[in-house]
Amino acid sequence: MKTRAECVVIGGGVIGTAIAYYLARAGLTDCVVLESSYLASGATGRCGGGIRQQWSTEANTKLAIESVKAFRGLEEELERDIEFLQGGYLVLAYTDDDVEQFEKNVTLQRGLGLDVETLSPSEITSRVVPHLNTDGVRMATYCADDASANPFLTTQAYADAARRLGVEIELFTPVRRILTEGGRVTGVETSRGTISAPIVVNAAGSHSIPLARTAGVELPIAPYRREILVTEPLERFFHPMIISFSFGIYFRQVKHGAVIGGFGDPDEPPGFNETSSLGFLTTMSRKLAHLMPRLRSVKIVRQWAGLYDITPDAQPILGEVDEVGGFFQANGFSGHGFMIAPKVAMLVAQDVRGETPDLDIERLHPRRFAGGKITQDRSVV
Amino acid sequence: MRISEHPILDFDRGREIEFEFDGKRLVGFEGETIAAALHAAEVRVLRRSIKLDRPRGFFCAIGRCSSCLMTVDDVPNVMTCVTPLRAGMKVETQSGKGTIAPEGARLATGDAASEAIPSAVPLAIVGAGPAGLSAAIYAGRLGVESVVIDENDVPGGQLIKQTHMFFGSLDHYARVRGIDIGERLVQDLESCPARLLTGTTVLGLYDDGDAKALSLLKDGQHARLRARAVILATGASENVLAFENCDLPGVYGAGAVQTLMNVYGVAPGERVLMVGAGNIGLIVSYQLLQAGVRVEAVIDAMDEIGGYHVHAAKIRRMGVPILTSHTILRADGETRVESATIARVDERWAPVPGSERTLDVDTVCLAVGLTPNCELALMAGADGVYVAELGGHVARHDRDLETNVPGVFIAGDASGIEEASTAMLEGRLAGLAAAERLVPDADANALASLRQEAEDGLGELRAGPFGERPRFGKNRMFDLVNDTKDERRGS
Ligand SMILES: Cc1cc2nc3c(=O)[nH]c(=O)nc-3n(C[C@H](O)[C@H](O)[C@H](O)COP(=O)(O)OP(=O)(O)OC[C@H]3O[C@@H](n4cnc5c(N)ncnc54)[C@H](O)[C@@H]3O)c2cc1C
Ligand SMILES: Cc1cc2nc3c(=O)[nH]c(=O)nc-3n(C[C@H](O)[C@H](O)[C@H](O)COP(=O)(O)OP(=O)(O)OC[C@H]3O[C@@H](n4cnc5c(N)ncnc54)[C@H](O)[C@@H]3O)c2cc1C
């Protein structure tokens, strides 16, 4: 392991590996990624892999559109199959509030060039998902360009591409402490020794919170358990990711044929709990069987949980903190970090190298929480 | 092919029933599995693999490996090696992943009016093999009520297929056949405050406040059982071996061969190559001979026979060559095993060029070890520890068989591969430890002496040369555990 590097990235999830790749692609190859376990062992490997552009704020929609552009070229650029599929996202509205909000969203999204449709319940079953039970569904928005990809393959592809450019990735090497001196970062202390570096990027998911604390930085992030399950594989019988904020669900069929999905329990207390619950299994099975009665006969083969790193405005925290020079944050993704990973990582890499990011990320800077007004996106599952 | 005459077993087959296989009418017997009925009707290919479209038959015959998935009554991915055959069933070879069943399609399972499952019990025991049954009996001696859950319709675990006189020196069980030991344990259970729940699979083990919740599947219905303590006695799964065409129908695990012939009275084939000369390989070879099947050879990569010499001598006398320092290179055949090629290996286990030999066999039986079924323990939060001598990954546990999750115990093959005699003693210990937890005012002297008896028995069984591996493995495990309880008891 190196003892000195130009840049240390903490975290071998999709964010950390992508940042390392874009840094190296731009010439900063003296970079080390430190991962406490194996690649994608955190939220990334536990996530649903959905890639959505239908958001309710302009900034998020733009970021998502740019990310889908990046995802589209990623397999060629990284020379790897990442199971990228533009199968669409079908967003179901059940309440008056949903309908009202979705209409606003569609206007905004179309204004930004996104191809979104609104569908009536009968159009949903005749055109998009034949087996769906639309009882109680008022309408839906559907963007056929929304997508999904395999988070393990994506992370591995970024990691391998970064390695080819000279980046070193150290697995099973937890960072214990961020080292600082005179208001600047000087490196990190790991389980295998110290690495000195003038730049440290904190991309450790929910574990970014205790890590930042070792440098005296308090991040306004809270970890929340989110559970998810997967069924046996079957020949493909639907394409889009199906979600609803008010019914509380998201699910899709992955390339391998399994149906994967979950929902966020609004009563879940914050904490680093990653165990599975029987309550989730039961409720999720009922939800699935309600929305798609044919799934009743399908066997669930596995369930697991991961952490959402949630910020007060459900937006990520990006940028160099004011308190400690050279200490960058790329965390707080609030449950949608996979879909925006390519673009966010490019922007963070530009920021780290002292360039002006080609999309405004100032609004995502940690200092936004210092008294300022917070705008929350309404489209978080 | 059905076995009609057997020196030990009487197959009282159920009613003859008709079913449909790929549009043809076949007959089988009530009480056997779909896979057993198909095998008896000479059907070997049950499915085609997802990616490479390779023919697949069953391998484990105990619902572990997923090699036998077929479409039954329009429901895809049915584990036919454990699904009972029913009259009129429509069974189809499955190609690829299977198609989602049409709305309303359901697999015909047990009777709708199945007995009620209790919602809470002090002690839940998963697995009705020798370990689980012993645990229930000994916890019962201290008055602890328990429910013993097993996915099979018949209790006894692996014992229900073991027709041989038992090895192991547990005085009152030596020279008794495995099948009879199982029956005795079930009888002993009758006088205990224990309930047997057969045909019920435990799908998951969860936290439930200050207790545990088990999710159960019985006759297609899900249920939830709350328990203050849980003993996992889930046994083990058979290992596979990687060689060319090792997925060809006709390559079976030794346990699968035993199940097929001793439980369902179906011969696995006519000419068998046995891979593995440990006790299981030797015993199953003998059982094959008893069932009238030829065993062409028993091979083992080790340079000496791993099992007891009495077993080896017995099959040698019957003309079966035991070839040590030999391995299987490949199986050949279009859709089922038609021959197998073996070779001698050097001291580094590399095949010696020029020593290849092709044997005319239709079955390759793998007796190459077992892996503990510790998934439920790991799900409950137990640490997985790799101890090669115990069969691979096992749940961390102390001398009381308690895992690092308080109230969750693990015993028998699930806690490390040994034998039925040790499984019974471990089951006893776990049952007693759980009882101590559940009955604070239990008679301490009685508990201590029962415990001592079980510990002495284990010590004795593990003292011999064949106990060396597990003894070493268990000691490594206990070294890993900071066994504070033990210190407490010792002081
Ligand atoms: C159930 C679930 C479903 C989700 N579904 C979606 C979805 O459909 N679409 C979407 O866009 N997003 C989804 N998300 C969110 C998404 O998974 C995350 O936002 C994203 O993966 C964040 O990536 P990351 O690299 O920041 O974090 P992580 O993947 O958590 O990576 C952080 C890494 O840092 C490592 N680490 C931690 N501490 C240390 C240390 N001290 N030293 C070294 N390394 C350390 C961890 O081991 C981990 O590998 C979902 C999340 C969950 C839990
Ligand atoms: C060919 C052969 C010969 C042998 N000969 C001897 C011998 O001579 N002497 C000797 O001492 N030992 C012998 N053994 C070993 C002995 O059979 C095993 O060590 C012993 O059966 C282990 O007992 P157990 O209770 O731990 O597990 P098992 O007997 O395997 O019982 C476990 C039970 O748990 C059930 N189960 C597992 N998971 C679940 C779940 N999730 N839900 C519900 N049920 C579940 C299983 O179906 C099974 O019925 C032999 C083994 C073999 C294969």
Side-chain angles (χ1 to χ4, degrees):
Chain A
M1 193 172 79
K2 283 187 182 178
T3 54
R4 175 178 298 280
E6 214 174 315
C7 174
V8 164
V9 177
I10 310 173
V14 69
I15 299 292
T17 53
I19 290 173
Y21 168 71
Y22 292 115
L23 282 173
R25 192 181 73 171
L28 199 164
T29 55
D30 182 18
C31 171
V32 182
V33 177
L34 299 173
E35 164 56 50
S36 57
S37 181
Y38 52 89
L39 289 175
S41 57
T44 302
R46 298 158 191 262
C47 90
I51 303 170
R52 162 162 60 103
Q53 302 164 94
Q54 302 178 63
W55 288 88
S56 68
T57 63
E58 177 170 339
N60 279 344
T61 312
K62 268 190 185 161
L63 186 61
I65 291 175
E66 289 301 315
S67 252
V68 168
K69 272 191 204 148
F71 262 117
R72 219 181 273 147
L74 212 52
E75 298 190 326
E76 198 178 333
E77 178 174 349
L78 304 179
E79 299 169 31
R80 261 297 172 75
D81 173 17
I82 60 163
E83 295 180 359
F84 178 70
L85 170 81
Q86 287 186 288
Y89 251 72
L90 182 73
V91 192
L92 306 175
Y94 281 88
T95 64
D96 288 345
D97 278 357
D98 281 351
V99 175
E100 197 180 312
Q101 181 67 40
F102 284 19
E103 276 160 6
K104 280 189 216 151
N105 293 355
V106 169
T107 312
L108 172 111
Q109 291 157 0
R110 285 187 178 148
L112 295 170
L114 197 66
D115 194 358
V116 205
E117 303 176 66
T118 56
L119 301 179
S120 69
S122 64
E123 284 169 324
I124 295 173
T125 45
S126 65
R127 288 189 34 210
V128 187
V129 187
H131 304 306
L132 201 75
N133 169 15
T134 53
D135 280 0
V137 173
R138 303 276 300 278
M139 51 90 83
T141 63
Y142 175 60
C143 172
D145 289 337
D146 279 347
S148 59
N150 180 321
F152 288 100
L153 295 179
T154 307
T155 307
Q156 192 66 47
Y158 271 126
D160 289 347
R163 281 191 183 115
R164 287 198 291 272
L165 294 169
V167 171
E168 290 187 8
I169 301 181
E170 305 289 348
L171 303 180
F172 300 99
T173 310
V175 172
R176 299 221 168 109
R177 204 153 59 92
I178 313 286
L179 305 173
T180 60
E181 215 178 283
R184 276 208 64 84
V185 77
T186 56
V188 293
E189 182 191 304
T190 79
S191 60
R192 294 164 59 206
T194 296
I195 304 181
S196 44
I199 296 170
V200 172
V201 182
N202 188 8
S206 290
H207 299 277
S208 300
I209 314 163
L211 273 173
R213 206 167 281 149
T214 66
V217 176
E218 230 9 82
L219 296 172
I221 302 176
Y224 284 89
R225 171 173 74 169
R226 285 292 181 268
E227 297 189 68
I228 180 165
L229 55 75
V230 69
T231 71
E232 62 187 323
L234 293 157
E235 294 297 340
R236 185 169 288 286
F237 57 101
F238 68 103
H239 283 89
M241 173 80 98
I242 299 167
I243 70 173
S244 171
F245 309 113
S246 47
F247 186 76
I249 196 163
Y250 65 89
F251 67 104
R252 71 176 174 110
Q253 196 181 7
V254 301
K255 185 179 179 200
H256 165 250
V259 175
I260 183 173
F263 70 91
D265 179 353
D267 298 327
E268 181 72 38
F272 286 90
N273 177 8
E274 285 187 295
T275 60
S276 294
S277 74
L278 183 49
F280 167 78
L281 179 65
T282 315
T283 309
M284 185 64 193
S285 308
R286 292 210 176 105
K287 282 176 184 254
L288 280 173
H290 170 81
L291 270 183
M292 209 183 255
R294 273 193 190 198
L295 286 173
R296 235 177 265 262
S297 65
V298 172
K299 297 177 251 333
I300 292 162
V301 297
R302 202 156 57 246
Q303 70 177 117
W304 65 93
L307 298 172
Y308 272 24
D309 43 353
I310 298 189
T311 62
D313 59 1
Q315 301 301 319
I317 296 176
L318 306 178
E320 186 177 11
V321 294
D322 292 333
E323 307 93 302
V324 184
F327 187 35
F328 287 76
Q329 306 305 316
N331 43 48
F333 285 94
S334 307
H336 49 93
F338 179 68
M339 57 181 82
I340 52 175
K343 191 62 193 178
V344 160
M346 278 181 217
L347 297 170
V348 172
Q350 287 168 336
D351 198 21
V352 165
R353 295 181 58 256
E355 293 173 6
T356 310
D358 58 28
L359 253 181
D360 173 33
I361 55 166
E362 196 48 33
R363 67 178 186 98
L364 299 175
H365 193 275
R367 85 175 71 85
R368 72 182 181 276
F369 299 108
K373 164 170 153 293
I374 289 171
T375 12
Q376 185 159 7
D377 199 299
R378 309 283 295 269
S379 308
V380 179
V381 257
Chain B
M1 200 185 54
R2 297 208 181 257
I3 302 167
S4 48
E5 266 172 59
H6 196 281
I8 297 162
L9 297 169
D10 256 339
F11 299 108
D12 54 3
R13 299 193 167 97
R15 191 164 60 94
E16 198 174 88
I17 47 179
E18 279 192 2
F19 67 104
E20 190 187 312
F21 167 69
D22 284 351
K24 294 184 288 280
R25 293 231 292 212
L26 294 180
V27 289
F29 292 96
E30 212 159 52
E32 64 188 8
T33 60
I34 300 172
L38 287 172
H39 193 99
E42 290 297 318
V43 175
R44 293 291 181 277
V45 181
L46 306 182
R47 70 181 301 205
R48 292 264 168 185
S49 72
I50 292 181
K51 286 192 183 141
L52 302 176
D53 198 39
R54 292 172 65 84
R56 290 277 165 83
F58 63 85
F59 174 77
C60 75
I62 53 166
R64 291 280 178 278
C65 76
S66 300
S67 184
C68 67
L69 302 185
M70 302 179 81
T71 300
V72 180
D73 290 341
D74 293 327
V75 177
N77 299 335
V78 174
M79 266 192 203
T80 53
C81 79
V82 286
T83 305
L85 182 72
R86 291 186 183 269
M89 255 180 175
K90 187 172 91 182
V91 180
E92 292 165 285
T93 309
Q94 184 173 312
S95 222
K97 295 166 193 165
T99 311
I100 189 170
E103 211 158 315
R106 266 193 91 214
L107 195 62
T109 45
D111 312 318
S114 72
E115 51 178 328
I117 294 174
S119 62
V121 68
L123 173 63
I125 298 171
V126 188
L133 292 172
S134 305
I137 294 166
Y138 275 73
R141 285 201 181 181
L142 292 159
V144 175
E145 243 180 90
S146 65
V147 172
V148 188
I149 308 150
D150 198 288
E151 58 201 344
N152 300 291
D153 287 332
V154 183
Q158 294 295 318
L159 294 178
I160 65 163
K161 33 194 130 148
Q162 291 168 8
T163 49
H164 58 287
M165 302 284 193
F166 249 49
F167 55 79
S169 58
L170 200 61
D171 29 326
H172 54 297
Y173 285 127
R175 318 240 24 103
V176 178
R177 295 186 200 284
I179 34 177
D180 300 328
I181 298 178
E183 275 170 23
R184 278 196 209 172
L185 289 172
V186 175
Q187 268 165 25
D188 287 352
L189 193 72
E190 274 163 21
S191 56
C192 294
R195 241 187 91 180
L196 200 53
L197 211 56
T198 53
T200 309
T201 305
V202 177
L203 299 176
L205 181 53
Y206 302 84
D207 278 334
D208 188 15
D210 56 356
K212 295 283 162 200
L214 292 85
S215 75
L216 312 181
L217 180 67
K218 183 175 176 58
D219 298 336
Q221 298 292 319
H222 291 273
R224 173 195 182 111
L225 174 66
R226 189 180 148 89
R228 277 158 59 210
V230 180
I231 297 176
L232 302 169
T234 44
S237 303
E238 293 197 87
N239 296 340
V240 277
L241 194 66
F243 55 88
E244 204 178 319
N245 289 333
C246 66
D247 61 341
L248 209 55
V251 178
Y252 301 134
V257 162
Q258 252 196 337
T259 306
L260 205 57
M261 66 186 177
N262 297 349
V263 180
Y264 301 114
V266 176
E270 286 169 16
R271 297 171 311 280
V272 176
L273 166 66
M274 178 65 65
V275 181
N279 274 327
I280 295 187
L282 298 176
I283 290 169
V284 174
S285 295
Y286 182 68
Q287 293 175 356
L288 280 161
L289 297 169
Q290 281 182 314
V293 179
R294 259 184 81 90
V295 178
E296 294 294 336
V298 178
I299 63 170
D300 202 304
M302 306 244 274
D303 59 6
E304 57 180 17
I305 293 170
Y308 290 143
H309 286 273
V310 278
H311 292 312
K314 208 152 60 172
I315 62 170
R316 269 204 179 118
R317 273 201 301 278
M318 295 172 80
V320 178
I322 303 178
L323 309 172
T324 50
S325 298
H326 272 73
T327 192
I328 177 166
L329 294 181
R330 60 168 196 277
D332 281 305
E334 276 299 307
T335 56
R336 54 194 280 180
V337 174
E338 287 163 20
S339 66
T341 300
I342 60 171
R344 198 148 46 75
V345 294
D346 62 20
E347 27 338 310
R348 280 135 95 215
W349 286 22
V352 177
S355 71
E356 299 86 358
R357 227 172 357 128
T358 298
L359 302 180
D360 175 23
V361 293
D362 59 6
T363 308
V364 175
C365 183
L366 301 182
V368 291
L370 297 148
T371 301
N373 291 332
C374 58
E375 296 86 346
L376 288 171
L378 302 188
M379 179 174 181
D383 296 334
V385 189
Y386 188 85
V387 184
E389 294 80 11
L390 296 179
H393 278 99
V394 279
R396 182 187 291 252
H397 60 271
D398 62 19
R399 286 174 198 278
D400 277 344
L401 288 314
E402 187 168 21
T403 66
N404 54 292
V405 183
V408 176
F409 299 80
I410 191 156
D413 277 355
S415 80
I417 306 302
E418 286 186 83
E419 22 169 82
S421 341
T422 45
M424 284 184 266
L425 292 168
E426 282 204 338
R428 282 191 204 179
L429 268 182
L432 294 170
E436 184 181 29
R437 181 69 56 84
L438 295 167
V439 193
D441 55 353
D443 178 346
N445 287 334
L447 195 69
S449 78
L450 288 172
R451 193 179 237 152
Q452 195 58 49
E453 200 182 286
E455 273 173 5
D456 291 349
L458 275 176
E460 207 178 298
L461 286 175
R462 288 178 186 152
F466 283 93
E468 192 176 322
R469 247 176 97 79
R471 183 174 70 241
F472 189 77
K474 285 282 172 179
N475 284 337
R476 261 183 65 190
M477 167 68 70
F478 300 145
D479 284 348
L480 283 170
V481 178
N482 183 3
D483 201 351
T484 47
K485 268 192 246 168
D486 219 49
E487 283 161 20
R488 197 186 57 213
R489 212 183 306 139
S491 63

